[in-house]
Structure formats: C-alpha cells, structure tokens
Amino acid sequence: LFAKVFLPAGYPDTVTPGQYQIFNALQAFCNSLASLLSSRAVLEGFGVGDANASATNALLLTVLQDVFSRLTTIISAYFVGTSLVPESKTYRLLADILNDAAIILDTLTPHVPTFRVPVLCLSASLRSLCGIAAGGSKAAIAVHFARNGDLGDLNAKDASKETVLGLAGMLIGSWVIPQITTPPATYTLLVILVSTHILLNYIGIRGLALRTLNRQRATRLWDGFIRSGHKTVHSPEDISSVENLFYWHEDRVIFAVSGIPDRQALSITHEDKYLLCVDHTDTVHIVLKEGHGPMDHLKAWIHASGGELDHFESFTEALEQKGWIIGEGGLVTRLPRRVVVGGNDKKEE
C-alpha cells in the first residue's frame, strides 16, 4: 500500500536511478520547520497580540507584498524563462537559496520595525524568484526521472511525499516552536535549519546526473573527448561530479540574439546551419540559419570554441553510447537570431 501511494507506477523500472528524491523530501521537512519561525515573526510584525494593531494596515501590507510578488514573477519569467531547463541544476539550488533568504528576512522583521515594510516586500520578491526558478527547474528534473514512466504520476507521487514530510515538519514544529521564545534561541535554530536545508539540496543536486547537454557539459565532454584521443567521452555520472553548479562561461562565444557582426570568423560550409561572426571585441557570435536544430547548436558551439570538426561525428556517436541525449537542445538559452541564407545574401529575421 505504501508503494502504491508514494511511489510511481512500475517503480523502480519506470524511474531513472538516483537519490535526489530522498534528499529533496528531507529538505522539504527542514523548510517546513524554518517556515514556521518566519511565519511567527511575520504575524508578530503584523501586530498579533497588540491591541493597537490595525487589521486594515495588515491587509494593505499584504496587498503591497502581493504586488511586488506578481511584478517580480512577470519580470523574472521574461529574463530567465528560457534558461531554466538547460541550467536546471543551478536554478534548483538557487531557488532554495532564495527561499531561505526570504525566510531569514521574514524572521528579522520584528527587530527592524522601521524597515519592516521594505523588508517584507523584498522577501515577497525573493519568494517569487524562488517560485520561477523552482518551477522550471523541477519540471526538467522530473522529465529526467520519468524517462521510462508517467511524468504526471511521478510529479503527483513526489508532491505526496513532500506533503507528508512537510506536514510532519509542521506537527513537530507546533511542539518545538512554542519552546523557542528568545531571539538567540530563535536564530540559532533558524541557522541550523537553513544550513541543513541548503546542505541537503546541494548533496541531492550534486548527485543528479542529467543526460541532456548544456554549454558547460558540452565543453567538458568535448575537452575529455580530445584528451582521450578522440575515442570516448565522460559518462553523465562523471560530469555531474565535476560540473560547477554556478557556472558562468566566459562570453567569448555566444549565440547571437540581436544584430549580426559584419566579419565572418571561420569558414563555414553551405550545408552548415549556422554562421560564425566576430565583433570588434573578438567575441564569436553564432548566428543560426533557418531550419537549425540541436545538433547544429552543438556543432556550432564546438566550432566557435575552437574545436576541430573532423571528429565531430565520432564525438556524437560516443555521446550516444554513454547515454547522453543529444537530440534535445540545451545550449541556446535565449531566443537566437536567425538568418535566411540564399546565394551570397543573408537576410536577418
């Protein structure tokens, strides 16, 4: 009965192996306890227990928080929406860091009455950023685990596990929180819970061996392929143990999103679905042609990074042998600039 309620149908055959879900469930427990501390602090800030407090003022402050939250959601979705799936591990960890930052700010509000309103608005914005980052990244991670099963069933069962552990955290917190009455005790417990929460997330995400490519994984795989004498590539497990969770590639190679530099950087065949152009700062811009696909993105990225394409076909074969999924695009994180090429002319779209 337990397996039917909390595990996906056909488990374990329908789920990609990994321990991420265990750590994800445990972090939900810690987050539930920490949220009780912040909720108590916010209620104190609203004036619960103060006869002079106004319900109208509390309502207006809630509305103001909601305004900041919604605006943050709209703006952040515009700027980072296309990066959430390719950089899902980064944004999944970032989401929990933002959530914990919001919890800390909420807990501080009773002690900074002068800045209570801006602090609460900031925490509302951080929670919205957390929602955007967590929503998109969790969807990509769920697809990774549900490769052979029902994605909807996996998400539902995962939500059930988090609900049970969150409820357990609330029940335990209902007994623990009333015992924590002084600021030193409150902040000591908060630091312990937040640190444990981040640590559990880090361990879970660090062990998450995604099989799709992004810019960092493609670069590391190509470098390993070159070092092996063009014979083999690293496995998803090997890459997951060394990849940086907060990875900022030096922007000497980018996919063009606006404008096309006049100077062509490297010779491109007519059959290639991309152009390589360089600007005055020696930054290589990858301009995609009409009809481009994920394989064209990978080829263009390696070419622009200085890689020799003589062994590109054997590279892709080695990737597939190691279980990498190369048919899903993850290198383009923003809507790229396209051109339609005909004869010697190029037309920008």
Side-chain angles (χ1 to χ4, degrees):
L1 179 60
F2 177 86
K4 291 182 178 179
V5 173
F6 295 110
L7 297 177
Y11 179 88
D13 297 331
T14 57
V15 178
T16 303
Q19 296 182 330
Y20 168 78
Q21 298 292 357
I22 297 175
F23 290 101
N24 187 51
L26 292 175
Q27 64 87 19
F29 176 80
C30 293
N31 183 63
S32 179
L33 284 172
S35 296
L36 289 178
L37 289 174
S38 67
S39 297
R40 183 177 69 176
V42 170
L43 291 175
E44 291 176 0
F46 281 160
V48 173
D50 184 357
N52 297 320
S54 168
T56 301
N57 289 339
L59 174 62
L60 293 176
L61 179 54
T62 302
V63 171
L64 183 62
Q65 285 182 278
D66 195 45
V67 169
F68 272 85
S69 174
R70 293 173 186 271
L71 289 176
T72 302
T73 297
I74 295 170
I75 295 171
S76 60
Y78 171 76
F79 282 104
V80 304
T82 55
S83 302
L84 295 175
V85 171
E87 305 296 338
S88 56
K89 294 176 69 171
T90 295
Y91 282 104
R92 185 66 191 91
L93 182 58
L94 179 62
D96 288 294
I97 293 174
L98 293 171
N99 179 69
D100 288 340
I103 288 175
I104 292 172
L105 289 176
D106 284 346
T107 309
L108 289 172
T109 52
H111 307 289
V112 286
T114 305
F115 302 100
R116 182 164 61 92
V117 173
V119 168
L120 285 174
C121 291
L122 177 58
S123 71
S125 295
L126 290 177
R127 280 196 172 86
S128 293
L129 286 171
C130 168
I132 291 293
S137 58
K138 287 179 71 173
I141 293 172
V143 170
H144 164 75
F145 280 106
R147 286 294 177 184
N148 302 314
D150 186 339
L151 177 60
D153 181 50
L154 184 141
N155 280 330
K157 298 299 174 56
D158 185 48
S160 296
K161 292 193 293 285
E162 288 193 22
T163 299
V164 170
L165 287 169
L167 179 59
M170 292 179 64
L171 292 176
I172 294 175
S174 298
W175 175 77
V176 173
I177 299 303
Q179 317 301 321
I180 308 298
T181 56
T182 63
T186 298
Y187 293 117
T188 299
L189 179 59
L190 181 64
V191 168
I192 293 173
L193 290 173
V194 167
S195 300
T196 305
H197 180 233
I198 294 296
L199 179 61
L200 289 171
N201 273 287
Y202 176 81
I203 295 173
I205 293 170
R206 168 57 69 190
L208 190 59
L210 298 181
R211 295 179 293 167
T212 52
L213 298 180
N214 60 13
R215 299 181 184 188
Q216 179 184 181
R217 294 180 202 125
T219 301
R220 289 183 180 276
L221 286 166
W222 178 257
D223 290 343
F225 180 69
I226 297 299
R227 288 194 296 269
S228 72
H230 309 110
K231 295 179 180 179
T232 186
V233 297
H234 295 298
S235 67
E237 292 75 19
D238 293 334
I239 293 296
S240 69
S241 65
V242 297
E243 69 177 319
N244 299 322
L245 294 180
F246 291 96
Y247 176 78
W248 304 107
H249 189 273
E250 184 180 358
D251 289 333
R252 290 299 180 184
V253 179
I254 61 174
F255 284 89
V257 294
S258 62
I260 300 177
D262 293 331
R263 187 155 55 99
Q264 184 166 305
L266 299 170
S267 59
I268 308 295
T269 66
H270 182 72
E271 292 77 16
D272 289 328
K273 296 294 184 180
Y274 62 89
L275 300 172
L276 298 183
C277 305
V278 65
D279 62 18
H280 64 281
T281 66
D282 291 330
T283 298
V284 180
H285 295 250
I286 301 173
V287 185
L288 299 172
K289 296 181 183 179
E290 188 178 32
H292 62 84
M295 290 293 289
D296 301 306
H297 305 164
L298 178 59
K299 184 177 182 181
W301 180 260
I302 291 173
H303 196 179
S305 299
E308 296 292 336
L309 298 182
D310 295 340
H311 300 280
F312 180 74
E313 185 174 346
S314 59
F315 173 61
T316 57
E317 292 175 355
L319 289 176
E320 292 180 328
Q321 290 174 1
K322 287 290 186 177
W324 289 99
I325 300 172
I326 60 177
E328 296 182 8
L331 278 74
V332 181
T333 57
R334 295 183 62 187
L335 184 64
R337 179 66 60 188
R338 291 190 309 156
V339 293
V340 179
V341 178
N344 295 322
D345 299 326
K346 59 181 182 181
K347 177 183 177 183
E348 183 177 351
E349 286 190 342

